Amino acid sequence: MGITSKINMKRIQIVSTYLLLLCLGLTKIQAQPIPIELMMGNQYGLVNLAFSKDFSETSRLGFFHMNTVQFDYSEDEKNSFILQDLLYVEIFRNLRVAGGVAYTKGGFAPTAGLQYVFAGRKFLFLFGPRVNIESDPSYDFITIVQYKPAINDHLKLYTRLQLLNVFDAAGNIRSYQWLRLGLEVKGIQFGLAANLDQYGPNPSVESNFGMFVRKEIF
């Protein structure tokens, strides 16, 4: 195994360990389940986790976490991860100001932004513009739309669209459109997955099709 492969493996191990410790710690903030998704596609696999937690039922303060670990089946240099930890305060109904840190292969960066979140029993919508605070800042916009209506007493339809656009003064860095279509049975979601990825300032679409399973843990 080469030096680059060892470094990439070490980074993934650090992120995985951090994720486990984070999930264990957050169970003490509020007794809410934490959703984690595994997607296995024809090009790569990934583990995705994104959630918000208020510190209490009446608090305007809370914590937002997003963690995505992508692992290529054959080329270690294509492995990647992005981790965000943000504290937020709700300044108006459903509108938050957030700040914290982002961690990628490039290292840690302080970050700040806004979030608009609407969360109901069937429908979830999140839109969050964000900027990394550094000498050459990068920006991103994340959008999550999730809809899971009941089909009957034991079965729900599960649909989810997650969009990300990351860019700086030179243009596009990374963009994606992730689509999920499936069912929910006893709190477990599973079905078809499609990831459409674009990299660099003159991107072309790279597609990854497969299956996903999603479970709320703790």
Side-chain angles (χ1 to χ4, degrees):
M1 182 181 292
I3 294 176
T4 301
S5 297
K6 290 181 179 179
I7 292 173
N8 288 335
M9 184 61 68
K10 185 65 175 178
R11 283 171 170 164
I12 290 176
Q13 289 173 347
I14 291 172
V15 172
S16 299
T17 302
Y18 176 88
L19 176 59
L20 176 61
L21 294 174
L22 177 70
C23 291
L24 290 172
L26 283 174
T27 59
K28 298 180 181 179
I29 295 178
Q30 192 176 8
Q32 293 180 354
I34 299 172
I36 186 166
E37 178 194 280
L38 171 66
M39 184 265 192
M40 300 298 291
N42 61 308
Q43 299 293 332
Y44 61 82
L46 66 83
V47 177
N48 185 45
L49 186 155
F51 63 90
S52 296
K53 281 184 174 289
D54 296 333
F55 288 122
S56 71
E57 292 184 359
T58 58
S59 177
R60 291 181 175 269
L61 301 175
F63 181 80
F64 174 82
H65 174 81
M66 187 176 77
N67 188 315
T68 301
V69 178
Q70 180 175 314
F71 50 94
D72 192 87
Y73 302 136
S74 57
E75 300 181 54
D76 288 342
E77 62 270 17
K78 291 186 177 181
N79 294 343
S80 66
F81 63 87
I82 180 170
L83 182 153
Q84 294 180 34
D85 284 326
L86 306 175
L87 293 175
Y88 62 78
V89 57
E90 187 176 37
I91 55 174
F92 299 106
R93 183 174 177 83
N94 301 328
L95 182 63
R96 307 165 173 173
V97 174
V101 295
Y103 181 43
T104 65
K105 283 185 175 182
F108 283 96
T111 187
L114 298 173
Q115 292 183 348
Y116 180 84
V117 182
F118 175 84
R121 295 184 62 183
K122 297 180 181 180
F123 182 74
L124 167 70
F125 175 79
L126 180 146
F127 175 70
R130 185 177 64 86
V131 57
N132 284 343
I133 304 169
E134 48 192 351
S135 58
D136 184 17
S138 61
Y139 311 85
D140 73 47
F141 296 93
I142 186 169
T143 304
I144 298 174
V145 181
Q146 180 177 288
Y147 182 56
K148 50 177 190 176
I151 297 174
N152 56 43
D153 291 341
H154 307 288
L155 187 67
K156 293 181 180 179
L157 176 68
Y158 179 79
T159 61
R160 182 181 176 95
L161 173 65
Q162 182 167 320
L163 311 174
L164 179 70
N165 179 230
V166 185
F167 60 95
D168 60 12
N172 181 74
I173 299 174
R174 166 82 191 278
S175 301
Y176 66 62
Q177 301 82 42
W178 293 351
L179 300 93
R180 304 292 184 262
L181 175 62
L183 299 172
E184 178 178 320
V185 180
K186 295 182 178 180
I188 300 176
Q189 296 99 26
F190 57 91
L192 303 175
N195 287 10
L196 307 177
D197 303 292
Q198 302 88 39
Y199 300 91
N202 299 301
S204 59
V205 176
E206 299 180 13
S207 57
N208 185 44
F209 300 104
M211 307 291 291
F212 78 93
V213 61
R214 186 174 183 268
K215 176 74 170 85
E216 295 180 340
I217 60 175
F218 301 107

